[in-house]
Short mmCIF file of all heavy atoms in Angstrom, two decimals:
data_model
loop_
_atom_site.label_atom_id
_atom_site.label_comp_id
_atom_site.label_asym_id
_atom_site.label_seq_id
_atom_site.Cartn_x
_atom_site.Cartn_y
_atom_site.Cartn_z
N GLU A 6 -81.79 10.04 -22.57
CA GLU A 6 -81.08 10.22 -21.40
C GLU A 6 -82.00 10.39 -20.21
O GLU A 6 -81.72 9.81 -19.09
CB GLU A 6 -80.29 11.53 -21.45
CG GLU A 6 -79.49 11.80 -20.22
CD GLU A 6 -78.63 13.09 -20.33
OE1 GLU A 6 -78.50 13.74 -21.38
OE2 GLU A 6 -78.07 13.54 -19.24
N MET A 7 -83.15 10.98 -20.33
CA MET A 7 -84.15 11.08 -19.25
C MET A 7 -84.60 9.63 -18.95
O MET A 7 -84.74 9.33 -17.66
CB MET A 7 -85.30 11.98 -19.61
CG MET A 7 -84.91 13.44 -19.76
SD MET A 7 -84.24 14.15 -18.21
CE MET A 7 -85.64 14.04 -17.16
N PHE A 8 -84.92 8.83 -19.88
CA PHE A 8 -85.38 7.47 -19.57
C PHE A 8 -84.30 6.71 -18.90
O PHE A 8 -84.57 5.99 -17.91
CB PHE A 8 -85.77 6.78 -20.99
CG PHE A 8 -86.39 5.47 -20.74
CD1 PHE A 8 -87.68 5.31 -20.13
CD2 PHE A 8 -85.68 4.26 -21.06
CE1 PHE A 8 -88.21 4.07 -19.93
CE2 PHE A 8 -86.25 3.04 -20.83
CZ PHE A 8 -87.48 2.89 -20.26
N ALA A 9 -83.02 6.80 -19.26
CA ALA A 9 -81.92 6.11 -18.53
C ALA A 9 -81.78 6.58 -17.11
O ALA A 9 -81.53 5.79 -16.30
CB ALA A 9 -80.61 6.43 -19.29
N ARG A 10 -82.02 7.85 -16.84
CA ARG A 10 -81.98 8.34 -15.51
C ARG A 10 -83.13 7.83 -14.68
O ARG A 10 -83.04 7.48 -13.50
CB ARG A 10 -82.04 9.88 -15.48
CG ARG A 10 -80.71 10.55 -15.98
CD ARG A 10 -80.82 12.04 -15.85
NE ARG A 10 -79.56 12.64 -16.48
CZ ARG A 10 -78.41 12.78 -15.72
NH1 ARG A 10 -78.42 12.45 -14.46
NH2 ARG A 10 -77.39 13.26 -16.27
N HIS A 11 -84.25 7.60 -15.32
CA HIS A 11 -85.42 7.04 -14.64
C HIS A 11 -85.17 5.54 -14.35
O HIS A 11 -85.50 5.02 -13.24
CB HIS A 11 -86.70 7.11 -15.43
CG HIS A 11 -87.30 8.49 -15.41
ND1 HIS A 11 -87.91 9.01 -14.31
CD2 HIS A 11 -87.38 9.42 -16.34
CE1 HIS A 11 -88.31 10.29 -14.60
NE2 HIS A 11 -88.05 10.57 -15.79
N LEU A 12 -84.49 4.87 -15.23
CA LEU A 12 -84.12 3.48 -14.95
C LEU A 12 -83.13 3.34 -13.85
O LEU A 12 -83.32 2.49 -12.91
CB LEU A 12 -83.38 2.84 -16.18
CG LEU A 12 -84.27 2.56 -17.37
CD1 LEU A 12 -83.42 1.97 -18.48
CD2 LEU A 12 -85.38 1.52 -17.06
N GLN A 13 -82.14 4.27 -13.75
CA GLN A 13 -81.19 4.32 -12.64
C GLN A 13 -81.98 4.59 -11.30
O GLN A 13 -81.66 3.93 -10.37
CB GLN A 13 -80.14 5.40 -12.88
CG GLN A 13 -79.22 5.59 -11.70
CD GLN A 13 -78.14 4.52 -11.62
OE1 GLN A 13 -77.87 3.81 -12.57
NE2 GLN A 13 -77.74 4.25 -10.42
N ALA A 14 -82.86 5.51 -11.33
CA ALA A 14 -83.67 5.91 -10.08
C ALA A 14 -84.47 4.69 -9.65
O ALA A 14 -84.57 4.44 -8.38
CB ALA A 14 -84.46 7.10 -10.36
N TYR A 15 -85.05 3.96 -10.54
CA TYR A 15 -85.85 2.80 -10.24
C TYR A 15 -85.07 1.78 -9.55
O TYR A 15 -85.51 1.18 -8.52
CB TYR A 15 -86.52 2.26 -11.51
CG TYR A 15 -87.17 0.89 -11.25
CD1 TYR A 15 -88.44 0.86 -10.81
CD2 TYR A 15 -86.48 -0.33 -11.49
CE1 TYR A 15 -89.10 -0.30 -10.47
CE2 TYR A 15 -87.10 -1.50 -11.08
CZ TYR A 15 -88.49 -1.47 -10.67
OH TYR A 15 -89.03 -2.70 -10.43
N VAL A 16 -83.87 1.52 -10.10
CA VAL A 16 -83.06 0.47 -9.51
C VAL A 16 -82.61 0.94 -8.14
O VAL A 16 -82.67 0.19 -7.14
CB VAL A 16 -81.85 0.08 -10.34
CG1 VAL A 16 -80.91 -0.85 -9.56
CG2 VAL A 16 -82.38 -0.65 -11.70
N GLN A 17 -82.27 2.13 -7.91
CA GLN A 17 -81.76 2.70 -6.65
C GLN A 17 -82.91 2.66 -5.64
O GLN A 17 -82.69 2.32 -4.49
CB GLN A 17 -81.25 4.15 -6.77
CG GLN A 17 -79.94 4.24 -7.42
CD GLN A 17 -79.40 5.66 -7.31
OE1 GLN A 17 -80.08 6.60 -7.78
NE2 GLN A 17 -78.14 5.92 -6.96
N ALA A 18 -84.09 2.88 -6.05
CA ALA A 18 -85.29 2.88 -5.12
C ALA A 18 -85.75 1.53 -4.83
O ALA A 18 -86.35 1.34 -3.70
CB ALA A 18 -86.43 3.69 -5.82
N ASN A 19 -85.48 0.54 -5.62
CA ASN A 19 -86.09 -0.80 -5.43
C ASN A 19 -85.08 -1.86 -5.13
O ASN A 19 -85.53 -3.01 -4.82
CB ASN A 19 -86.90 -1.17 -6.63
CG ASN A 19 -88.11 -0.28 -6.76
OD1 ASN A 19 -89.06 -0.63 -6.06
ND2 ASN A 19 -88.10 0.69 -7.63
N VAL A 20 -83.80 -1.58 -5.16
CA VAL A 20 -82.72 -2.55 -4.90
C VAL A 20 -81.85 -1.92 -3.75
O VAL A 20 -80.94 -1.06 -4.03
CB VAL A 20 -81.90 -2.95 -6.17
CG1 VAL A 20 -80.92 -3.97 -5.75
CG2 VAL A 20 -82.86 -3.49 -7.20
N ALA A 21 -81.97 -2.45 -2.60
CA ALA A 21 -81.14 -2.04 -1.44
C ALA A 21 -79.75 -2.47 -1.58
O ALA A 21 -79.49 -3.60 -2.13
CB ALA A 21 -81.75 -2.45 -0.17
N TYR A 22 -78.84 -1.71 -1.14
CA TYR A 22 -77.40 -2.11 -1.15
C TYR A 22 -77.19 -3.20 -0.09
O TYR A 22 -77.65 -3.12 1.05
CB TYR A 22 -76.43 -1.00 -0.83
CG TYR A 22 -74.97 -1.53 -0.83
CD1 TYR A 22 -74.31 -1.73 -2.06
CD2 TYR A 22 -74.35 -1.85 0.36
CE1 TYR A 22 -73.02 -2.16 -2.06
CE2 TYR A 22 -73.15 -2.35 0.33
CZ TYR A 22 -72.41 -2.46 -0.86
OH TYR A 22 -71.17 -3.01 -0.86
N ALA A 23 -76.56 -4.35 -0.49
CA ALA A 23 -76.27 -5.43 0.42
C ALA A 23 -74.93 -5.91 0.04
O ALA A 23 -74.68 -6.49 -1.01
CB ALA A 23 -77.26 -6.53 0.30
N GLY A 24 -73.95 -5.74 0.95
CA GLY A 24 -72.54 -6.14 0.64
C GLY A 24 -72.44 -7.70 0.67
O GLY A 24 -73.36 -8.43 1.20
N GLU A 25 -71.40 -8.18 0.14
CA GLU A 25 -71.14 -9.61 0.06
C GLU A 25 -69.91 -9.96 0.69
O GLU A 25 -68.91 -9.27 0.56
CB GLU A 25 -71.14 -10.06 -1.38
CG GLU A 25 -72.37 -9.76 -2.18
CD GLU A 25 -72.14 -9.96 -3.72
OE1 GLU A 25 -71.08 -9.86 -4.25
OE2 GLU A 25 -73.18 -10.26 -4.33
N GLU A 26 -69.88 -11.10 1.46
CA GLU A 26 -68.66 -11.63 2.02
C GLU A 26 -67.68 -12.06 0.91
O GLU A 26 -66.52 -11.87 0.98
CB GLU A 26 -68.89 -12.66 3.04
CG GLU A 26 -69.54 -12.25 4.28
CD GLU A 26 -69.72 -13.31 5.26
OE1 GLU A 26 -68.93 -14.28 5.29
OE2 GLU A 26 -70.72 -13.25 6.05
N GLU A 27 -68.26 -12.83 -0.05
CA GLU A 27 -67.49 -13.36 -1.20
C GLU A 27 -68.24 -12.88 -2.51
O GLU A 27 -69.49 -12.87 -2.52
CB GLU A 27 -67.50 -14.81 -1.17
CG GLU A 27 -66.71 -15.41 -2.29
CD GLU A 27 -66.65 -16.94 -2.23
OE1 GLU A 27 -66.49 -17.46 -1.14
OE2 GLU A 27 -66.68 -17.59 -3.23
N GLU A 28 -67.50 -12.27 -3.35
CA GLU A 28 -67.98 -11.69 -4.66
C GLU A 28 -68.82 -12.82 -5.49
O GLU A 28 -68.22 -13.82 -5.70
CB GLU A 28 -66.89 -11.08 -5.46
CG GLU A 28 -67.44 -10.32 -6.69
CD GLU A 28 -68.33 -9.20 -6.31
OE1 GLU A 28 -67.90 -8.35 -5.54
OE2 GLU A 28 -69.53 -9.20 -6.74
N THR A 29 -70.03 -12.46 -5.69
CA THR A 29 -70.83 -13.24 -6.55
C THR A 29 -71.52 -12.32 -7.60
O THR A 29 -71.66 -11.11 -7.35
CB THR A 29 -71.86 -14.00 -5.83
OG1 THR A 29 -72.76 -13.08 -5.13
CG2 THR A 29 -71.33 -14.99 -4.81
N PHE A 30 -71.84 -12.77 -8.73
CA PHE A 30 -72.55 -12.04 -9.76
C PHE A 30 -73.99 -12.66 -9.90
O PHE A 30 -74.09 -13.85 -10.32
CB PHE A 30 -71.78 -12.03 -11.05
CG PHE A 30 -70.48 -11.33 -10.92
CD1 PHE A 30 -69.28 -12.06 -10.70
CD2 PHE A 30 -70.31 -10.01 -10.94
CE1 PHE A 30 -68.02 -11.53 -10.47
CE2 PHE A 30 -69.08 -9.31 -10.79
CZ PHE A 30 -68.00 -10.13 -10.53
N ARG A 31 -74.91 -11.80 -9.70
CA ARG A 31 -76.31 -12.24 -9.90
C ARG A 31 -76.91 -11.77 -11.20
O ARG A 31 -76.54 -10.82 -11.66
CB ARG A 31 -77.18 -11.65 -8.71
CG ARG A 31 -76.80 -12.09 -7.40
CD ARG A 31 -77.84 -11.45 -6.39
NE ARG A 31 -77.62 -11.94 -5.08
CZ ARG A 31 -77.84 -11.15 -4.01
NH1 ARG A 31 -78.26 -9.90 -4.17
NH2 ARG A 31 -77.51 -11.67 -2.82
N SER A 32 -77.92 -12.51 -11.64
CA SER A 32 -78.58 -12.07 -12.85
C SER A 32 -79.37 -10.75 -12.46
O SER A 32 -79.79 -10.70 -11.31
CB SER A 32 -79.49 -13.10 -13.41
OG SER A 32 -80.65 -13.25 -12.51
N PRO A 33 -79.61 -9.94 -13.40
CA PRO A 33 -80.34 -8.70 -13.11
C PRO A 33 -81.74 -9.04 -12.59
O PRO A 33 -82.28 -8.37 -11.73
CB PRO A 33 -80.42 -8.00 -14.44
CG PRO A 33 -79.17 -8.50 -15.25
CD PRO A 33 -79.01 -9.92 -14.78
N LEU A 34 -82.45 -10.05 -13.23
CA LEU A 34 -83.76 -10.46 -12.73
C LEU A 34 -83.78 -10.87 -11.29
O LEU A 34 -84.53 -10.54 -10.46
CB LEU A 34 -84.30 -11.55 -13.65
CG LEU A 34 -85.68 -11.98 -13.31
CD1 LEU A 34 -86.75 -10.92 -13.47
CD2 LEU A 34 -86.11 -13.12 -14.25
N LEU A 35 -82.79 -11.66 -10.90
CA LEU A 35 -82.60 -12.12 -9.54
C LEU A 35 -82.41 -10.95 -8.57
O LEU A 35 -83.05 -10.79 -7.54
CB LEU A 35 -81.53 -13.14 -9.31
CG LEU A 35 -81.37 -13.67 -7.89
CD1 LEU A 35 -82.59 -14.32 -7.35
CD2 LEU A 35 -80.14 -14.60 -7.88
N THR A 36 -81.54 -9.99 -9.04
CA THR A 36 -81.30 -8.83 -8.20
C THR A 36 -82.55 -7.98 -7.99
O THR A 36 -82.88 -7.63 -6.83
CB THR A 36 -80.17 -7.93 -8.89
OG1 THR A 36 -78.99 -8.65 -8.90
CG2 THR A 36 -79.98 -6.61 -8.12
N ILE A 37 -83.28 -7.75 -9.02
CA ILE A 37 -84.48 -6.98 -8.86
C ILE A 37 -85.57 -7.77 -8.09
O ILE A 37 -86.30 -7.18 -7.15
CB ILE A 37 -85.13 -6.60 -10.28
CG1 ILE A 37 -84.11 -5.61 -10.90
CG2 ILE A 37 -86.48 -6.04 -10.21
CD1 ILE A 37 -84.39 -5.34 -12.37
N ASN A 38 -85.70 -9.10 -8.27
CA ASN A 38 -86.67 -9.81 -7.54
C ASN A 38 -86.32 -9.91 -6.02
O ASN A 38 -87.26 -9.89 -5.14
CB ASN A 38 -86.80 -11.26 -8.07
CG ASN A 38 -87.64 -11.29 -9.30
OD1 ASN A 38 -88.35 -10.45 -9.62
ND2 ASN A 38 -87.41 -12.36 -10.14
N LEU A 39 -85.04 -9.97 -5.70
CA LEU A 39 -84.61 -10.04 -4.33
C LEU A 39 -84.67 -8.67 -3.63
O LEU A 39 -84.82 -8.52 -2.42
CB LEU A 39 -83.18 -10.52 -4.19
CG LEU A 39 -82.88 -11.94 -4.47
CD1 LEU A 39 -81.38 -12.32 -4.42
CD2 LEU A 39 -83.62 -12.88 -3.46
N GLY A 40 -84.59 -7.58 -4.51
CA GLY A 40 -84.62 -6.23 -3.98
C GLY A 40 -83.38 -5.90 -3.24
O GLY A 40 -83.32 -4.94 -2.40
N GLU A 41 -82.20 -6.61 -3.59
CA GLU A 41 -80.94 -6.27 -2.92
C GLU A 41 -79.79 -6.65 -3.75
O GLU A 41 -79.91 -7.57 -4.58
CB GLU A 41 -80.84 -6.79 -1.47
CG GLU A 41 -80.73 -8.27 -1.51
CD GLU A 41 -80.60 -8.91 -0.06
OE1 GLU A 41 -81.00 -8.22 0.91
OE2 GLU A 41 -79.92 -9.94 0.06
N GLY A 42 -78.68 -6.01 -3.58
CA GLY A 42 -77.41 -6.37 -4.33
C GLY A 42 -76.36 -5.36 -3.93
O GLY A 42 -76.58 -4.32 -3.38
#
Side-chain angles (χ1 to χ4, degrees):
E6 183 181 350
M7 291 300 296
F8 186 69
R10 289 183 183 275
H11 285 291
L12 290 176
Q13 176 73 30
Y15 172 83
V16 173
Q17 283 184 314
N19 291 282
V20 179
Y22 179 81
E25 300 170 331
E26 288 184 30
E27 185 175 318
E28 185 61 58
T29 59
F30 296 96
R31 294 183 179 148
S32 74
L34 183 59
L35 180 59
T36 297
I37 291 168
N38 284 337
L39 290 174
E41 66 178 30

